């Protein structure tokens, strides 16, 4: 639980502030408001696909653990931020270099990761504690921007005139590496828990089978033989009774005849 909780708080620092990103794109690619609006549209569409199509596929159909989904999503998000940080303003290819921004938007799974971490937090506590968890999460969403916005703004201003104006994104990458590391630890722990539960269930099934074959089957066989003997006696007695009834009926007919 504590790893998932720290992951969520750490991931809150990694949300890109639109002010810094818009200024960076305008400085590097000479984007105007229409270009940035197109980028945001692609980003929102990719997040919608990740939440409503990819997440149900991975969680409900493929039955993957939440920690594994969050770890893989964090890895792709790190790749997206690295592309944004080191993306050149010009190159020798026929396509525009700002295509890297749209590719990074497709690889950015911020919403998927936060939803998965929230789900994992709720699964690790009692039902009566879920309200408290979401209260602390809401508090973090209100407090973290007060720290992250000025911090990333200062880093962006200090590195704007350098050869790497997207250096503030590398700070986000460092935080995401911490989130991914703790996610790997949680995935290993969850895998070991599932493996131990599977081993316990297998041991229990073997024990039940041994009890059935060594103790229950002889007892059942004994009662089955006893039942067969009783049924044989009852059938023998019934046949004798029927013979006596037939004999008495014949005698009564002879005596009643004139």
């Amino acid at each position: 639980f504590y790893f998932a909780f720290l992951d969520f708080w750490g991931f809150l620092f990694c949300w890109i502030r639109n002010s810094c990103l818009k200024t960076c794109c305008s400085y590097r690619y000479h984007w105007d408001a229409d270009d940035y609006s197109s980028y945001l549209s692609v980003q929102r569409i990719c997040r919608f696909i990740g939440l409503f199509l990819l997440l149900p596929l991975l969680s409900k159909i493929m039955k993957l653990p939440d920690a594994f989904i969050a770890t893989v999503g964090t890895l792709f998000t790190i790749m997206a931020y690295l592309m944004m940080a080191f993306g050149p303003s010009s190159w020798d290819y026929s396509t525009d270099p700002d295509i890297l921004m749209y590719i990074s938007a497709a690889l950015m799974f911020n919403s998927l990761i936060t939803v998965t971490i929230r789900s994992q937090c709720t699964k690790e506590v009692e039902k009566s504690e879920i309200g408290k968890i979401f209260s602390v999460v809401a508090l973090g969403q209100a407090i973290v921007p007060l720290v992250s916005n000025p911090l990333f703004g200062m880093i962006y201003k200090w590195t704007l005139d350098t050869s790497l104006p997207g250096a503030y994104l590398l700070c986000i990458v460092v935080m995401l590496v911490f989130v991914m590391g703790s996610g790997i630890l949680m995935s290993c722990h969850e895998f070991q828990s599932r493996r131990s539960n599977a081993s316990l269930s297998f041991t229990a099934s073997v024990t039940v089978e041994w009890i059935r074959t060594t103790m229950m089957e002889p007892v059942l066989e004994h009662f089955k033989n006893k039942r067969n003997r009783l049924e044989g006696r009852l059938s023998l007695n019934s046949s004798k009774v029927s013979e006596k009834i037939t004999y008495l009926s014949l005698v009564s007919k002879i005596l009643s005849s004139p």
Side-chain angles (χ1 to χ4, degrees):
F1 164 72
Y2 294 105
F3 277 111
F5 189 72
L6 291 175
D7 278 354
F8 186 82
W9 274 71
F11 198 81
L12 288 177
F13 281 93
C14 302
W15 284 354
I16 287 185
R17 304 303 144 193
N18 292 332
S19 58
C20 295
L21 184 60
K22 183 178 180 180
T23 307
C24 182
C25 292
S26 299
Y27 178 81
R28 181 185 293 173
Y29 303 115
H30 307 289
W31 277 6
D32 54 13
D34 293 336
D35 295 328
Y36 190 71
S37 298
S38 301
Y39 166 76
L40 289 181
S41 300
V42 173
Q43 187 186 75
R44 298 299 186 271
I45 292 173
C46 293
R47 290 184 179 181
F48 177 84
I49 294 174
L51 280 177
F52 293 97
L53 294 179
L54 186 59
L55 183 58
L57 174 65
L58 298 176
S59 180
K60 299 296 183 181
I61 299 178
M62 299 181 66
K63 305 295 183 181
L64 295 178
D66 292 336
F68 180 78
I69 297 174
T71 302
V72 175
T74 305
L75 177 61
F76 280 102
T77 306
I78 290 174
M79 295 170 57
Y81 283 132
L82 289 176
M83 293 174 64
M84 296 168 63
F86 294 103
S89 58
S90 62
W91 56 19
D92 297 332
Y93 300 103
S94 58
T95 58
D96 294 331
D98 57 358
I99 191 67
L100 295 176
M101 294 295 297
Y102 294 97
I103 297 175
S104 65
L107 297 176
M108 201 175 296
F109 296 103
N110 298 38
S111 301
L112 186 145
I113 297 171
T114 53
V115 171
T116 306
I117 295 177
R118 286 184 184 183
S119 174
Q120 189 174 9
C121 289
T122 56
K123 292 177 182 178
E124 298 292 334
V125 298
E126 299 292 336
K127 292 184 178 180
S128 59
E129 303 291 330
I130 294 178
K132 298 179 182 179
I133 294 299
F134 283 115
S135 299
V136 177
V137 168
L139 180 64
Q141 288 178 331
I143 294 177
V144 169
L146 300 177
V147 179
S148 61
N149 281 346
L151 177 62
F152 291 140
M154 288 188 298
I155 297 175
Y156 175 71
K157 290 180 180 179
W158 292 340
T159 59
L160 180 60
D161 296 330
T162 62
S163 59
L164 189 63
Y168 76 100
L169 298 173
L170 299 180
C171 300
I172 298 177
V173 171
V174 172
M175 295 181 182
L176 285 178
V177 169
F178 166 76
V179 173
M180 187 177 68
S182 59
I184 292 174
L185 292 177
M186 288 188 294
S187 299
C188 294
H189 176 71
E190 191 167 355
F191 175 75
Q192 290 178 356
S193 299
R194 290 192 175 188
R195 187 174 181 180
S196 61
N197 292 334
S199 177
L200 288 175
S201 62
F202 175 75
T203 304
S205 62
V206 171
T207 305
V208 170
E209 182 68 19
W210 179 80
I211 292 174
R212 186 181 66 83
T213 55
T214 58
M215 299 179 63
M216 297 300 296
E217 287 188 355
V219 174
L220 292 175
E221 187 68 22
H222 171 73
F223 282 105
K224 183 178 180 180
N225 295 333
K226 190 172 182 180
R227 186 191 63 182
N228 293 334
R229 289 196 298 268
L230 290 175
E231 288 179 352
R233 292 178 182 178
L234 289 175
S235 62
L236 180 61
N237 293 333
S238 61
S239 63
K240 290 182 179 179
V241 170
S242 62
E243 291 177 357
K244 290 182 180 180
I245 292 173
T246 305
Y247 174 75
L248 292 175
S249 62
L250 290 174
V251 172
S252 62
K253 285 181 180 181
I254 293 173
L255 293 176
S256 60
S257 61

